[in-house]
Amino acid sequence: MNGRQHTRPSRVEVSETGVEVYAPYDRDLVENLRALPGARFVPSHWAVPFEHLGDVIDFVEDVFGPTDVVGQRGPW
């Protein structure tokens, strides 16, 4: 965990509309998500196109460690 303490868990959800990222604020994570084409912040989470799922998981795990990935598209 890079020495940072976060009390809320991070979560990545795969939905019919794309990938949703729920995580506490982290500057590195925000910068990485902003760099993805089509990513946008909506109230309470980031919405990212499906094609970036692998990148999103890597970004979140780099900051917060192992992250739950849940969704309708199969086991992750």
Side-chain angles (χ1 to χ4, degrees):
M1 263 189 40
N2 299 352
R4 301 178 193 159
Q5 296 297 319
H6 297 284
T7 57
R8 292 183 298 172
S10 57
R11 185 175 80 242
V12 176
E13 291 187 7
V14 180
S15 70
E16 293 179 5
T17 59
V19 179
E20 298 174 357
V21 180
Y22 297 88
Y25 176 81
D26 181 86
R27 184 184 345 190
D28 294 335
L29 178 62
V30 169
E31 288 175 5
N32 286 331
L33 291 173
R34 276 190 185 143
L36 295 174
R40 65 192 189 289
F41 185 78
V42 295
S44 78
H45 69 277
W46 280 86
V48 183
F50 287 118
E51 59 265 19
H52 301 298
L53 176 60
D55 293 327
V56 167
I57 292 170
D58 289 343
F59 297 156
V60 173
E61 289 185 345
D62 284 349
V63 175
F64 300 108
T67 299
D68 289 334
V69 179
V70 296
Q72 302 172 344
R73 300 196 124 202
W76 306 100

